[in-house]
Amino acid sequence: MTDFTGKVGLVTGAGSGIGRAIASGLGRRGAAVAVLDLDESTAEETADAIIGAGGTATAVRVDVADEDSVRRAVASVVERFGRLDVAVNNAAIPSTGQDLTTMTANAWERVMRINLTGTFFSLKHEIPELLRTGGGAIVNIASNGGLYAIPHAPAYVASKHGVVGLTKVAAVDYAPHGIRVNAVAPAITRTAMFDQVAQGTDMIAEQEASTPLGRLATPEEIADAAIWLSSDEASYVTGTTLSVDGGRRA
C-alpha cells in the first residue's frame, strides 16, 4: 500500500460516494485529509470515520461554484495542516434526460459552473500551494462522459470534456514546477445514490450487461485509481485521463 505519511491531501465532494472513498483511502495510507463538501454534515461524517480508523482529518465546507469559498477552503486547509501535497477535485453534479434544444440556459450554466468552473477554481487556488512546497499531484475526477457522448446529457458531457482538456493544460503548464495533473474517468459506479436512483428498475442489470467485466465499479475501485495517480508510484504520469470503466470504452 502506497504510503502518504507526512503528506496533506484535500478532496472536494468528499461527503459521500467516490469522494468519501478517496478521502478514506488517503487517510488509511497515512495522509492528513481535508474533507471538503457543500454539505458540512456529510463532510464531518467522512472526517469522523477517518479519525475513528486512526487517521487525521478535518471537515471543511466549500461551494466549488463560488471562487471565494474555494479560496477560503484551501487557505483553511493550509492553515490547519501547514501545507498541501495532493488535491483531488471530485465535486460535481449529474445531468441526464435533457434535450439540447429544450434545456434551459440556467440548467446548462449550473452544470458548467459546478463541474467545469468549479474544477477551474479549485486548480487556481490549489496550484499556488503546491508551488510553495515544491510540487505535488492533482487528480480531477472527470467521467467516461468526458471521453465520449452520453445520450441526452449535453451539459454533463460538455463539462466533463472540459475537465479533461483543463487537466491537459494544467499538466503541461506546471510540469516544469514539479506538479503532476491527471484525471480519472469513471463509468457508472455503485454508489448509494446510484443504487437509490436504480431501485425498482432494470438499470443495474442493463448497465452490467453492457460492461465487459460484467459488473459496475465500487467507489473504492475508482478511489484506488485516483490515489495511485496521486502517489509517487505514478511519478512519470501527467496529463493523462485514466478510464476506469470495466472495459466499456474498449
Side-chain angles (χ1 to χ4, degrees):
M1 182 183 292
T2 303
D3 187 7
F4 283 82
T5 300
K7 293 188 176 183
V8 176
L10 73 76
V11 185
T12 69
S16 61
I18 292 171
R20 175 173 286 183
I22 295 168
S24 298
L26 287 171
R28 284 195 303 274
R29 290 163 174 83
V33 186
V35 179
L36 277 59
D37 203 283
L38 181 62
D39 185 339
E40 193 169 8
S41 65
T42 60
E44 288 173 350
E45 289 173 5
T46 300
D48 287 347
I50 293 169
I51 294 167
T56 301
T58 188
V60 180
R61 185 185 182 278
V62 69
D63 178 358
V64 297
D66 179 341
E67 183 173 4
D68 283 342
S69 178
V70 174
R71 176 184 53 76
R72 290 192 301 269
V74 173
S76 73
V77 173
V78 175
E79 182 179 2
R80 169 71 171 80
F81 293 122
R83 60 185 294 128
L84 181 64
D85 301 287
V86 172
V88 182
N89 300 315
N90 167 73
I93 58 171
S95 175
T96 58
Q98 298 279 354
D99 186 280
L100 195 151
T101 62
T102 58
M103 187 175 194
T104 66
N106 285 343
W108 167 273
E109 289 167 1
R110 180 170 182 264
V111 175
M112 298 299 287
R113 182 77 178 181
I114 295 171
N115 293 7
L116 180 55
T117 305
T119 302
F120 161 69
F121 289 153
S122 298
L123 289 167
K124 180 179 178 179
H125 293 282
E126 293 158 356
I127 287 171
E129 296 302 332
L130 297 182
L131 290 172
R132 192 170 64 84
T133 53
I138 298 175
V139 177
N140 298 320
I141 305 302
S143 164
N144 264 12
L147 303 173
Y148 52 71
I150 297 173
H152 307 296
Y156 184 79
V157 168
S159 71
K160 292 300 187 176
H161 272 70
V163 168
V164 170
L166 186 58
T167 298
K168 293 177 182 179
V169 172
V172 169
D173 286 351
Y174 292 97
H177 303 282
I179 298 175
R180 296 184 301 103
V181 187
N182 292 289
V184 172
I188 293 174
T189 304
R190 288 291 300 268
T191 63
M193 181 180 295
F194 176 74
D195 282 350
Q196 185 176 10
V197 169
Q199 189 173 10
T201 74
D202 296 325
M203 189 181 299
I204 292 175
E206 290 169 355
Q207 294 296 329
E208 289 178 337
S210 64
T211 303
L213 284 182
R215 61 179 179 81
L216 302 184
T218 66
E220 289 72 23
E221 287 174 313
I222 308 304
D224 285 344
I227 291 167
W228 177 75
L229 286 171
S230 301
S231 76
D232 292 340
E233 293 177 1
S235 59
Y236 201 64
V237 181
T238 195
T240 193
T241 297
L242 178 59
S243 185
V244 186
D245 66 355
R248 291 174 67 120
R249 186 181 180 204

